[in-house]
Amino acid sequence: METKTVVTALAALAQDSRLAIFRALVQAGPAGLAAGRISELTGIAPSSLSFHLKELSHAEMVSSQQAGRFVIYTANFSTMNALLGFLTENCCGGNPCSPVCTPACSTEKEPS
Amino acid sequence: METKTVVTALAALAQDSRLAIFRALVQAGPAGLAAGRISELTGIAPSSLSFHLKELSHAEMVSSQQAGRFVIYTANFSTMNALLGFLTENCCGGNPCSPVCTPACSTEKEPS
DNA sequence: TCCATATTTCAATGATATTTGAATTATTGA
DNA sequence: TCAATAATTCAAATATCATTGAAATATGGA
């Protein structure tokens, strides 16, 4: 993972609303959540939510797919794990560090 | 670790200059680096560096100590580990996908 | 003491981020 | 088709962040 990508991913998570969104999606698992449901769960206004989801998408922290009238968002576990990998290697190097989930959390589909 | 603290820590690392500073300090290990040395290594101007070091300090990602004319900065590994702990917990904890957590780093240093 | 070095602070500027509400696009069902 | 629902886009306002250079603080050595 390049540092530019890492900074983008970190910045995506380094914000109250977006961390809340991402956590909700992680909890929801591979099934994901519709945008409106995320709005309900987090109390973020739709237009603001759209803005943040776009940020998270751009950072490839979440994926989305249209389902009828709904847009379903899912946490992108592979990016999350790559980020964790980078942080563990580069920011924990040569020091005692905690166990990390290596591949784990595989999503059903991988839109690329 | 509270989410407010997490956001602060993530925001501290979510910036080119600060990620570079932090990585340099991680590489330097417990001995740390003087501010001027960090400036040399990263090419960040002193006043800008001070600003970023303050951000990192405020997020408790680095610690500092006066040593004569120099101020020595060191990476704060405990905060980093706490951050990784939070992120892995939220990545793999209590969600539908069965987590398979394995220790990513042994006690010995591995060449990367 | 005086001067050079190391670092921080400050104010000003420019650049990004965030939120809001209104307007827009797209889909479903009657 | 029309009306209702789901979500996004847009522009404007506000807030926060990052960089710069000059000035200030502090330490060590001649």
Side-chain angles (χ1 to χ4, degrees), chain B residues 8-110:
Chain B
T8 304
L10 288 170
L13 296 178
Q15 209 274 344
D16 282 324
S17 298
R18 288 196 294 267
L19 187 58
I21 292 165
F22 189 75
R23 289 184 70 184
L25 289 175
V26 167
Q27 280 188 17
L33 293 171
R37 185 77 188 113
I38 301 173
S39 183
E40 282 175 10
L41 289 171
T42 60
I44 301 166
S47 63
S48 188
L49 179 66
S50 255
F51 168 79
H52 290 303
L53 285 170
K54 206 167 141 191
E55 294 285 301
L56 287 165
S57 288
H58 179 247
E60 299 190 70
M61 294 302 301
V62 306
S63 307
S64 65
Q65 71 191 93
Q66 190 93 27
R69 261 190 286 200
F70 302 86
V71 179
I72 307 298
Y73 284 87
T74 48
N76 195 334
F77 292 101
S78 60
T79 303
M80 189 61 198
N81 280 320
L83 177 62
L84 287 170
F86 177 94
L87 293 176
T88 54
E89 193 183 325
N90 279 278
C91 172
C92 302
N95 67 45
C97 48
S98 53
V100 181
C101 286
T102 54
C105 2
S106 61
T107 48
E108 291 174 30
K109 167 78 177 167
E110 190 179 351

Side-chain angles (χ1 to χ4, degrees), chain A residues 3 7 10-11 13-14 16 19 23 26-27 77 80 84 86-88 90-92 94-98 100-102 105, chain B residues 3 7 10-11 13-14 16 19 22-23 26 77 80-81 84 86-87 90-92 95-97 101-102 104-105 109:
Chain A
T3 69
V7 168
L10 288 170
L13 296 178
D16 282 324
L19 187 58
R23 290 183 70 184
V26 166
Q27 281 188 17
F77 292 101
M80 187 61 187
L84 289 168
F86 177 94
L87 292 177
T88 305
N90 292 272
C91 300
C92 203
N95 289 274
C97 50
S98 47
V100 171
C101 274
T102 342
C105 311
Chain B
T3 68
V7 168
L10 288 170
L13 296 178
D16 282 324
L19 187 58
F22 189 75
R23 289 184 70 184
V26 167
F77 292 101
M80 189 61 198
N81 280 320
L84 287 170
F86 177 94
L87 293 176
N90 279 278
C91 172
C92 302
N95 67 45
C97 48
C101 286
T102 54
C105 2
K109 167 78 177 167

